[in-house]
Amino acid sequence: MSYWLYLPHGVPSDARLPLLVMLHGCQQTATQFAQGTRMNWLAEQKGYAVLYPQQLLSSHSQRCWKWYDKATQEGGGDTALLVGIVDRVAAQHPIDRRRIYACGISAGAGMANILALNHPELFAAVGLHSGPVFGGGHSRIGALGVMQHGAGPRGELAIREILARRAVFPLMPAILIQGEGDKVVRPVNQQQLVQQSLLLNGLPAHTPVRTTLKTGRGSRHNAHRIQDFYVGRKLLLRVASVDALDHAWSGGDASLAFNAAAGPDASKMMLDFFGRHRRG
């Protein structure tokens, strides 16, 4: 499996860098994902290393991560390969192992979530843009059903199975960004991801939420709603629902497919959220 690594310039020689693992969507390459999200530009400003693995065409003809595959969901397949790459990069470069984050769009978001669920000791937080709910699918046809309708009761059961594997599951902060106009991975997935996150982190379904509404500014910035869930003073879950956004990275480079020029800037939102969290 190929991967690209971006390292920021001008960092002190003794600095330990946070690492962001970025997983592209179907029909994307790793370099297209880097360009479309402009994540390297932000990483340079904020001092992040960014890792871009790329799915093999021999593994999937459209470079989709197999988030729907049961063995992958349970920690095998692409999951084991990706964790091996993260471990290799962290061993070869000055990476702060308390600050490793997984992020992706669409199939890449599904895969990022699987990484965090199977290796919570490795990842300090996860960012999912237009991501499918975890635990369903189990075939390519089944995956399409999840993308359109969610996972149903299987979604709760899948998280309970994750929790049953460990005596203690550490808190897993998450930021979820979803376009309300997305017809590829429909918003029901974000709603079920919220339910899964609350269950995973031991929070009741009626946990208080702070809601912020942001108005749009013409074609440059879409209106959106942000819901924040806290544990004490710790922001554990941020949920952003973006009006008019279809299946595309919000605030990206629209010259590439699956990127929308109008804000909010999803890349900035991701790094701002990750900056709040580190693995203890």
Side-chain angles (χ1 to χ4, degrees):
M1 185 181 291
S2 299
Y3 64 87
W4 285 257
L5 179 65
Y6 179 83
L7 295 172
H9 300 84
V11 176
S13 58
D14 59 346
R16 308 299 291 181
L17 301 173
L19 175 66
L20 175 58
V21 182
M22 289 280 284
L23 298 177
H24 62 79
C26 297
Q27 303 176 45
Q28 284 184 316
T29 64
T31 51
Q32 287 169 343
F33 191 40
Q35 182 181 341
T37 61
R38 302 189 184 95
M39 190 61 84
N40 291 350
W41 182 79
L42 276 174
E44 178 68 27
Q45 292 182 313
K46 295 182 177 290
Y48 276 69
V50 192
L51 173 64
Y52 298 92
Q54 181 170 280
Q55 176 63 297
L56 294 164
L57 280 172
S58 59
S59 182
H60 194 287
S61 60
Q62 298 184 55
R63 292 199 193 276
C64 297
W65 303 102
K66 296 180 182 178
W67 59 269
Y68 51 84
D69 178 67
K70 195 168 191 299
T72 299
Q73 292 176 2
E74 292 175 350
D78 291 338
T79 308
L81 287 172
L82 289 167
V83 168
I85 291 173
V86 173
D87 282 338
R88 183 187 313 163
V89 168
Q92 293 176 345
H93 299 276
I95 301 300
D96 183 350
R97 285 185 170 269
R98 299 172 303 162
R99 294 187 291 163
I100 300 178
Y101 312 97
C103 177
I105 186 171
S106 193
M111 194 67 238
N113 198 19
I114 289 170
L115 290 177
L117 290 171
N118 281 277
H119 296 273
E121 72 290 341
L122 182 60
F123 296 96
V126 64
L128 312 180
H129 197 312
S130 314
V133 65
F134 170 76
H138 302 164
S139 69
R140 293 194 185 191
I141 297 299
L144 293 173
V146 170
M147 291 158 65
Q148 292 296 302
H149 308 293
R154 175 65 197 157
E156 178 178 338
L157 180 60
I159 295 300
R160 294 198 181 280
E161 290 171 353
I162 289 284
L163 294 172
R165 293 186 210 163
R166 296 172 176 265
V168 177
F169 195 99
L171 291 177
M172 180 54 67
I175 176 170
L176 314 176
I177 302 175
Q178 174 73 40
E180 291 295 304
D182 193 338
K183 294 180 173 57
V184 177
V185 178
R186 292 186 181 270
V188 64
N189 285 272
Q190 187 190 51
Q191 296 162 17
Q192 293 185 9
L193 283 168
V194 171
Q195 295 166 2
Q196 288 188 328
S197 181
L198 294 177
L199 178 61
L200 182 73
N201 290 297
L203 300 177
H206 57 273
T207 296
V209 56
R210 300 181 190 177
T211 301
T212 305
L213 299 175
K214 307 221 172 176
T215 58
R217 295 193 295 273
S219 61
R220 298 179 59 186
H221 204 83
N222 289 318
H224 56 285
R225 180 180 72 255
I226 296 176
Q227 296 176 294
D228 287 336
F229 297 79
Y230 285 82
V231 173
R233 295 184 178 181
K234 184 182 182 72
L235 175 59
L236 187 66
L237 175 62
R238 171 161 284 174
V239 183
S241 304
V242 185
D243 290 354
L245 179 66
D246 58 15
H247 195 63
W249 189 271
S250 184
D253 181 349
S255 69
L256 287 90
F258 309 112
N259 289 276
D265 185 336
S267 296
K268 184 177 184 302
M269 291 175 71
M270 293 283 186
L271 286 189
D272 286 349
F273 182 81
F274 295 148
R276 295 168 174 260
H277 301 286
R278 62 185 62 203
R279 182 56 69 209

